[in-house]
Every structure is written in C-alpha cells, then in structure tokens.
Amino acid sequence: MATLTCRQLLKTYKGGQRAVDGIDLTLEPGELMVVVGPSGCGKSTFLRMVAGLETISDGELEIGGRLANQLEPAQRGVAMVFQNYALYPHMSVFDNMAYALKLQKRPREEITRRVREAAALLGIEALLERRPRQLSGGQRQRVAMGRAIVREPRVFLFDEPLSNLDAALRVQMRLEIRRLQQRLGASMLYVTHDQVEAMTLADRLVVLRDGRIEQIGTPMSLFETPASCFVARFIGSPAMNLLPVTHSDGCARLPGGLILETDALGTEADGEPATEPTANAESKALRPTATLGVRPEHLRLDPQGEFAVTLEMIERLGVDALVYCRLPGLDAPLTARLPLTTLEAAALREGSEIRLAVDGPLHLFDVEEQRLARRARLAADTSAAQSSVA
C-alpha cells in the first residue's frame, strides 16, 4: 500500500490541447478511488500519466512519498489492468501472469509461488495451462488482474476493465474486484465511464469534466449534494431532473407558475470542492435565473401533489418503473421512479393526467450551474412564499 499524490498535474499536447488540466488529489493507502466522467474528459490519459505511459507536462506526481514524474513505468511500483486485457496470445495463462517476474529475474520457486497464490485468489487455478483464446471474457479479465497481483504493486490502476463484458458479468466482476481490494488492502485507482460501477465500487469518487476535477467525495455525498448541474446529471440513474426557474427574493418560479421557497445557504457542497467559489452566496442569491433539481426517486404519485403533469411513457423495470411526464412550459420531460404496484393500482396509462409530489430534498443551482442552496422546500402557495420572505 502507498499514498499517491497529484499536485496540479497537467497534460498538454502539441497545438495547446489540454487533456488533463490541474488535477489535485490524494489516494490514501488502502483506498479504492474511482475516477468517472464522460468520454473524452481525460480519465484514461490521467491514469496513463500515473502509470508512466504518458509524459507529464507539468505538476508533480508522488507515489509513496517519492517524486515519480521522471521514473520509468517499471520503477513506479504500479500495475495496470487494461480495458482490452493485453494478454500475450502465444503464452499460457501461467506464463502471462509470470512474465513480469521473469523479466525481473525472480527465482523460479518465487515465480511459481506468486502465480499459484494469485490464481487461487482469483479462482483460476484450473486455467493456468490454457491460452487466452481458450478463455471467456471474464476469465481473461481475471488473468489480467492476476498478472497485476503477482507483481505486488504499491498501487493498482484499472482502466475501464469491465467495459468489454456483458451486463451480468460486469456485476459479478464488480463484486470480485471489491472483495479483492478488501482482501489485499490495496490502494486502487479505478477509471470508468459507468456511474453505476463508480457508485458501487468507490470509497471516494472523482468526477472529471474536460480534464478538470468537478467534485471529489464519497459516492453518497455526490449523490445527495452535487456541486454542479454536471455532477447532478452524471451521478444517479436515472439522472436528476433539472428545471429552469426564475429565482429572486427567496422564491423560485417555474414556467408553469409553481412557486418554490428556497433557503440559500451558500455554494459549498459536501465532499471536497474542486475550486474556490467565483462569487459569494449573497451575490448569487440575487441572480434572476437558476436551475432547480429533484431526483426521480424523490417524486411520488399524489392527487394533491405540486406538479400537474401528463404521463407520456412508462418503462417497467420489474419492481419499479420510470415514468416520463410532460410539465407545462418545459421542453424536457420530468422523470419519476415509482413502484410498479402503485401505477398498476392507479390503472395509469400513457396520456393520463396525474399529479406528483416531492418526497425528498430539492437542489438549487445558479445561472452558472453551480450549487446555490443545500436545501429548497416547496412553498404551500404564493402567499406563504411571500410571507416567509417578508
């Protein structure tokens, strides 16, 4: 186990394109940190910089307290598991796992012991004499992980290792990676574009956007208190509903006329902020426009609910259903996650007029899509909202 520290890490390509733009983070010993973000945000480039497969344009990388910027990959004490497994097709599973140790000229007995211990840990003892072409995708992934384990690295690096597997196998491998990390007590830096994978694996989550850190924190802190609309859209499945509102004098007004009373408590979010706020909370509270966020899980069917909507489509997921509704004055649909039994009991169909109530926290973001309020609550009516402001 080792601490990995990045200080203002930069990667700039010819022509001035900046793929990684000032990353500051610390991976603690024994921590599983997941880096998540959309395609092209710099996730894999960042991981390859840590591994030594991409040069660092500026900033500092420390591994175990040692400056690693100029170290060769083999000197960094890291092992990387790739998306495409990168196994040698002409070698057996045993030889694939033993290859790095043979290059280090380790004794034969030590190589055999390490390979067999790793194979036992991963449940692939019976596959050691096979070639990669004789293995399934999940078995190849275990071999790639075993090849990393035998090196006894200080830090494990995973670059979207499950993206080539089918959905059921991805779930199984997620569990195996988490169990493996807990068993080894290893420090792991794990890159993925799959936010469900990120939420289920991470001790801490890093959301990247255009090469910069948007927010760092525990998965639940990012889910419950996203620092920006970008994080709110990316964390959670389905994504948070984001509704444009006019915000002034402590009230948020939706296009359809609904009035919400807001409690602006500042721009900071739970977890570690990526940057300093660009303006204070008081000045942001006076902005004329904002965005209101509500999670689909925090809407429920209620004949007295605040949102009068038209049901457009139902996606049945088994126990639950995703209900897509049209809110007057808005182009984007409003999504609710509701128990399927509730929908069936109400005999709802596409085209039905229904009402939804908020049954959980609301989130307020300013015109720059940064978090404005930790909490927002529904006003009973216009007069109540106005009296509370007064």
Side-chain angles (χ1 to χ4, degrees):
M1 294 188 296
T3 300
L4 184 149
T5 303
C6 302
R7 299 189 188 93
Q8 284 297 298
L9 218 57
L10 296 175
K11 176 62 182 180
T12 306
Y13 292 108
K14 291 181 179 179
Q17 178 192 356
R18 187 165 286 185
V20 173
D21 190 4
I23 287 185
D24 284 302
L25 60 81
T26 298
L27 174 70
E28 301 293 346
E31 181 180 27
L32 200 166
M33 178 180 282
V34 178
V35 181
V36 68
S39 298
C41 72
K43 304 184 302 296
S44 293
T45 301
F46 166 58
L47 202 70
R48 292 172 64 85
M49 291 166 69
V50 173
L53 304 178
E54 290 276 0
T55 58
I56 296 172
S57 302
D58 201 359
E60 293 183 346
L61 171 68
E62 282 188 6
I63 301 175
R66 182 185 182 190
L67 189 64
N69 289 46
Q70 303 302 323
L71 294 180
E72 293 296 321
Q75 300 173 315
R76 298 190 180 201
V78 302
M80 191 162 176
V81 178
F82 295 91
Q83 177 179 351
N84 61 358
Y85 319 131
L87 301 177
Y88 295 108
H90 63 287
M91 292 184 182
S92 68
V93 168
F94 182 97
D95 290 336
N96 265 283
M97 293 174 63
Y99 185 68
L101 300 180
K102 290 179 179 177
L103 290 181
Q104 296 173 7
K105 301 187 183 304
R106 299 281 184 176
R108 182 187 299 272
E109 296 77 11
E110 181 184 353
I111 292 174
T112 300
R113 175 182 59 80
R114 285 204 201 178
V115 170
R116 293 199 177 279
E117 286 177 354
L121 187 65
L122 295 165
I124 56 173
E125 305 101 307
L127 306 179
L128 291 176
E129 301 307 317
R130 296 188 188 181
R131 299 288 176 90
R133 66 175 178 272
Q134 298 172 294
L135 305 178
S136 67
Q139 291 170 334
R140 292 178 190 177
Q141 190 55 269
R142 288 185 181 89
V143 175
M145 290 165 58
R147 184 176 54 187
I149 291 169
V150 298
R151 294 178 57 190
E152 298 179 352
R154 307 171 82 181
V155 178
F156 286 84
L157 307 176
F158 289 84
D159 186 12
E160 305 207 33
L162 309 183
S163 60
N164 290 334
L165 304 180
D166 61 58
L169 193 52
R170 280 202 302 271
V171 173
Q172 179 185 342
M173 289 302 299
R174 282 206 305 263
L175 292 172
E176 293 192 14
I177 288 173
R178 191 55 169 153
R179 288 179 186 139
L180 178 67
Q181 189 267 340
Q182 292 172 343
R183 205 173 304 168
L184 297 175
S187 304
M188 291 186 176
L189 194 59
Y190 189 108
V191 159
T192 181
H193 67 277
D194 185 334
Q195 59 94 15
V196 174
E197 194 173 303
M199 290 285 290
T200 54
L201 279 174
D203 293 319
R204 276 194 303 159
L205 200 53
V206 181
V207 179
L208 278 193
R209 180 185 188 185
D210 298 331
R212 300 182 65 87
I213 293 177
E214 190 81 1
Q215 190 175 2
I216 303 178
T218 64
M220 287 311 299
S221 72
L222 270 63
F223 180 83
E224 294 173 350
T225 325
S228 65
C229 289
F230 180 85
V231 177
R233 292 187 192 100
F234 204 83
I235 300 299
S237 180
M240 181 184 288
N241 295 293
L242 295 171
L243 313 175
V245 295
T246 299
H247 180 239
S248 62
D249 298 328
C251 292
R253 295 171 175 82
L254 274 76
L258 180 63
I259 294 180
L260 309 172
E261 179 187 352
T262 61
D263 178 17
L265 299 180
T267 58
E268 70 275 14
D270 289 349
E272 304 165 25
T275 58
E276 291 296 319
T278 56
N280 61 40
E282 182 180 358
S283 65
K284 289 194 173 189
L286 298 176
R287 290 186 184 274
T289 59
T291 299
L292 193 77
V294 58
R295 294 255 177 225
E297 297 84 358
H298 296 150
L299 291 170
R300 59 180 170 82
L301 201 61
D302 186 337
Q304 305 302 317
E306 298 84 7
F307 294 106
V309 296
T310 302
L311 196 159
E312 290 196 329
M313 188 173 70
I314 300 173
E315 285 185 351
R316 291 168 173 80
L317 306 177
V319 176
D320 295 331
L322 297 183
V323 178
Y324 301 94
C325 307
R326 182 65 57 186
L327 189 65
L330 294 181
D331 294 330
L334 185 71
T335 305
R337 189 173 196 132
L338 304 174
L340 188 58
T341 53
T342 300
L343 296 180
E344 291 175 344
L348 296 180
R349 299 290 183 270
E350 283 83 354
S352 301
E353 300 294 328
I354 62 174
R355 297 188 77 93
L356 296 172
V358 177
D359 191 14
L362 295 171
H363 308 264
L364 190 64
F365 304 91
D366 67 18
V367 70
E368 296 172 352
E369 298 198 340
Q370 300 301 304
R371 188 171 189 84
L372 179 61
R374 288 183 183 273
R375 296 190 301 273
R377 60 186 177 86
L378 288 170
D381 52 37
T382 306
S383 60
Q386 291 173 342
S387 64
S388 67
V389 174

